[in-house]
Amino acid sequence: MEQIQASPDRPHGPPDLAMPTLAMLRTALSAGWRDFLAAPTFGLVAGAACVLAGWVMVAITAASGNTFWFVLAVFAFPMAAPFAAFGTYEVSRRRARGASTGFRDILKVLWAERGGQLPWLNGLMVVVLLFWFFLGHMIFALFLGLKPMTNIMSSGEVFLSPNGLAMLAMGTFVGGCFALLFYAVCVIGLPMLLDRDVDYVTAMIRSVGVVIHNPVPMLAWAALVAIALFLAMLPGFLGLLLVLPWLGHASWHLYDQLRQAGAQV
């Protein structure tokens, strides 16, 4: 079997990328599901970690009595999903090359990334997430600032009052903008950092460029990912056990199709 190393064997610079098509999305989903069935261990562990993180969020917000923060965390949760699925990219990459997909092999590659570009992108996204929490609090204060922190799970005021509805509308819009920003930066940028010797700024720019220049298929992919993650979180986050690794594998295959087709042009 081929032995895949961390960064020394990666091609230098960003690859040429083809234009995505809707057919590529279907191929990515089916290939991602095959990868998950063939090598489910790492994906299940990543999914279980996210389920546990969801339970912790619920417990903390319930114990503090500030369930308003739970909504902010739920909006932020799918934004962090690409990073949780990063290891599944490596599983799919190794399967395509006939290399080992053992749990320890994947962890070695991920550990090697600590000195690369991924931590820089992670750090930037953490800053953006913190800003989202700050902005979400400001939106709450703008519309309901004269009232105590409302328990949105039990109070009808948030859903029925004009200010509450306006707050939800504004928060949903702003949260959607943040989620779209995360998506545009990560959808191609994250797998590119694993595949190529490239700095994180270049990966981000190329990723955003693919989304901007191909809005129909890339926004269709964004909608599919968002809906799938939302539905997966409904049954106590348990759906993430399957959906998160599946989408992780599929995301790698989408990038890989763009890379391979771009190399043939």
Side-chain angles (χ1 to χ4, degrees), residues 27-101:
T27 300
L29 288 172
S30 59
W33 186 247
R34 287 195 301 271
D35 281 354
F36 177 56
L37 293 180
T41 303
F42 192 93
L44 288 174
V45 171
C50 287
V51 171
L52 181 60
W55 291 348
V56 169
M57 286 192 309
V58 173
I60 291 176
T61 54
S64 65
N66 295 325
T67 49
F68 167 75
W69 293 104
F70 178 71
V71 173
L72 299 180
V74 166
F75 267 103
F77 201 71
M79 300 179 193
F83 295 104
F86 193 77
T88 60
Y89 300 165
E90 178 64 12
V91 173
S92 291
R93 187 172 80 110
R94 284 171 166 265
R95 282 201 72 237
R97 290 160 172 77
S100 170
T101 58

Side-chain angles (χ1 to χ4, degrees), residues 44-192:
L44 288 174
V45 171
C50 287
V51 171
L52 181 60
W55 291 348
V56 169
M57 286 192 309
V58 173
I60 291 176
T61 54
S64 65
N66 295 325
T67 49
F68 167 75
W69 293 104
F70 178 71
V71 173
L72 299 180
V74 166
F75 267 103
F77 201 71
M79 300 179 193
F83 295 104
F86 193 77
T88 60
Y89 300 165
E90 178 64 12
V91 173
S92 291
R93 187 172 80 110
R94 284 171 166 265
R95 282 201 72 237
R97 290 160 172 77
S100 170
T101 58
F103 190 79
R104 294 183 64 181
D105 296 313
I106 305 303
L107 286 183
K108 287 180 182 178
V109 173
L110 297 183
W111 179 250
E113 292 295 327
R114 72 191 187 282
Q117 294 293 307
L118 181 62
W120 292 97
L121 183 56
N122 279 342
L124 179 61
M125 293 298 100
V126 168
V127 171
V128 175
L129 275 175
L130 292 175
F131 182 68
W132 155 242
F133 275 90
F134 170 79
L135 197 58
H137 197 157
M138 292 300 98
I139 292 173
F140 186 93
L142 177 64
F143 292 99
L144 296 172
L146 297 179
K147 301 183 180 297
M149 293 292 280
T150 307
N151 187 329
I152 64 166
M153 302 302 180
S154 61
S155 174
E157 180 182 11
V158 173
F159 300 100
L160 300 177
S161 70
N163 281 353
L165 292 173
M167 182 202 70
L168 290 177
M170 177 64 71
T172 300
F173 173 77
V174 174
C177 290
F178 272 86
L180 184 59
L181 172 63
F182 262 73
Y183 168 78
V185 166
C186 294
V187 62
I188 301 299
L190 273 178
M192 187 183 296

Side-chain angles (χ1 to χ4, degrees), residues 5-46:
Q5 304 298 324
S7 58
D9 294 338
R10 295 176 185 170
H12 179 71
D16 293 325
L17 299 173
M19 294 179 60
T21 64
L22 295 177
M24 287 182 177
L25 307 188
R26 294 191 293 269
T27 300
L29 288 172
S30 59
W33 186 247
R34 287 195 301 271
D35 281 354
F36 177 56
L37 293 180
T41 303
F42 192 93
L44 288 174
V45 171

